[in-house]
Amino acid sequence: MNRRAILKGALGGVLGLTLPPFARSAFSQESPPVVPVSEGFVMLTGAGGNILVRTASAGQVLVDSGAAEFTDAVLARLRGLPGGGRVTTLFNTHWHRDQVGGNLAFGQPGATIIAHEKTRARLATDYYLGVEDRYEKALSAAAHPTVTFFTGSKTLAGKERIEYGHLLKAHTDGDIYVFFRDANVLAAGDAISPLKDPVLDWFGGAWLGARVDAQEKLLRLTDEKTLIVPSYGPVVGRAELQAELDMTRVIFDRMLELVRKGMSAQNMLDAGVMKGLSRTFRDPSKFAYDAYKGYWAHHNSLAKDVL
């Protein structure tokens, strides 16, 4: 089965779920649309990155808060879901502003914000964006994560287990996954990218080898029934994750061989590093350049013959 058929089937399966009245009405209104994921879970799309919502009368749990300019629209959507917009817990899968732009709206009323410590550090101080040659200003204190960790996996105890853990440098230096174990719903952030070109924020610590490791870790967490929510694109399953991991490994192995030969990013492109893959990249030059730059910090540990 080709990639287009897989994605079409995955998206069709998600949209084919029986929609409760609130979800049916949401599709006819302006963004962000409400997309059903499974019982008790929906996804808000078009608000920057995807926002996963666990709905419950006792309060809602969010994974990511979207871009700041969509905050009012997100709040309006949440008020129409079970739990009425009362968010008790917010996870940030990483520190890019498309994922944390709404933090203030939830942190100010007192929601617990959980993230990697690097995400807290990025949001608490101005940081430099090398590609744009500017500083991203710190967010106000109420928007900062209130519970952080560095390594390993944690479990948020309650009626339903919520496991979360570090994905080392898959997309940034502060990536995490959030796994609703009992519901078998896994939020993977930008560690996977089923539709858009994968992004390696090398200036923010990401590199291709870590992305391979992160996707392998996600694969170990899943089974054939796991629903996986990325930062962008539709909900996918284990087969789609495996396909992306296989492609990531191919690119990593190719680049490692070309790094040994001292090639630049352009040399790698000319040598066909992005050709014959299982998917077509919209901007293969950008991906190759970002991946190449990410190797710099790890060149002396890639292999014994890389200096």
Side-chain angles (χ1 to χ4, degrees):
M1 183 179 292
N2 62 32
R3 176 177 165 270
R4 179 177 296 178
I6 289 172
L7 290 174
K8 182 178 179 182
L11 184 57
V14 172
L15 297 180
L17 294 171
T18 300
L19 301 186
F22 66 81
R24 286 198 296 270
S25 63
F27 279 108
S28 63
Q29 300 173 15
E30 295 180 358
S31 65
V34 179
V35 178
V37 176
S38 68
E39 184 177 357
F41 289 82
V42 298
M43 181 174 71
L44 305 187
T45 66
N50 292 332
I51 300 173
L52 178 64
V53 186
R54 189 195 73 178
T55 62
S57 57
Q60 299 164 343
V61 176
L62 305 188
V63 180
D64 290 330
S65 60
E69 60 266 32
F70 295 101
T71 298
D72 289 343
V74 168
L75 292 173
R77 280 287 185 261
L78 293 175
R79 287 193 289 269
L81 299 173
R86 191 174 74 83
V87 175
T88 61
T89 306
L90 165 64
F91 291 90
N92 292 152
T93 58
H94 58 286
W95 42 265
H96 283 163
R97 293 303 167 96
D98 279 358
Q99 281 67 46
V100 302
N103 275 22
L104 182 61
F106 304 109
Q108 224 164 21
T112 299
I113 303 178
I114 301 175
H116 191 269
E117 173 59 24
K118 288 291 183 71
T119 292
R120 186 208 62 78
R122 294 277 187 173
L123 302 188
T125 187
D126 298 353
Y127 61 87
Y128 183 64
L129 295 172
V131 175
E132 300 178 27
D133 192 24
R134 68 176 181 87
Y135 279 87
E136 189 75 79
K137 295 297 183 182
L139 297 181
S140 59
H144 301 169
T146 52
V147 175
T148 65
F149 67 105
F150 273 104
T151 60
S153 299
K154 314 291 180 183
T155 301
L156 188 62
K159 292 183 179 180
E160 183 179 15
R161 291 172 296 168
I162 306 176
E163 300 174 4
Y164 57 98
H166 190 201
L167 295 172
L168 180 63
K169 298 182 177 180
H171 172 66
T172 69
D173 60 5
D175 301 303
I176 70 168
Y177 68 86
V178 183
F179 191 20
F180 297 85
R181 170 69 70 176
D182 300 313
N184 208 6
V185 175
L186 173 64
D190 267 298
I192 65 169
S193 187
L195 284 185
K196 62 183 290 190
D197 289 359
V199 175
L200 292 165
D201 185 349
W202 62 269
F203 203 82
W207 81 290
L208 196 57
R211 192 171 182 87
V212 172
D213 292 343
Q215 290 176 352
E216 288 177 342
K217 184 174 186 176
L218 291 172
L219 195 68
R220 290 193 296 270
L221 289 170
T222 65
D223 60 32
E224 297 304 323
K225 294 182 179 180
T226 306
L227 297 171
I228 307 171
V229 180
S231 283
Y232 296 92
V235 177
V236 296
R238 196 172 197 270
E240 292 79 26
L241 171 59
Q242 180 70 67
E244 185 166 345
L245 169 59
D246 291 344
M247 180 196 69
T248 309
R249 283 174 175 154
V250 167
I251 301 173
F252 175 81
D253 290 342
R254 289 178 179 179
M255 281 201 160
L256 176 58
E257 184 60 31
L258 298 178
V259 165
R260 285 191 175 110
K261 296 178 180 180
M263 288 191 178
S264 67
Q266 187 58 54
N267 292 153
M268 291 180 180
L269 283 167
D270 294 341
V273 70
M274 300 297 293
K275 293 181 179 179
L277 299 172
S278 58
R279 65 192 282 181
T280 300
F281 281 63
R282 292 180 178 85
D283 191 348
S285 296
K286 181 182 186 308
F287 181 85
Y289 177 79
D290 291 346
Y292 169 76
K293 294 288 283 187
Y295 274 80
W296 285 14
H298 304 274
H299 71 279
N300 61 347
S301 59
L302 290 171
K304 62 182 181 181
D305 54 348
V306 178
L307 300 177

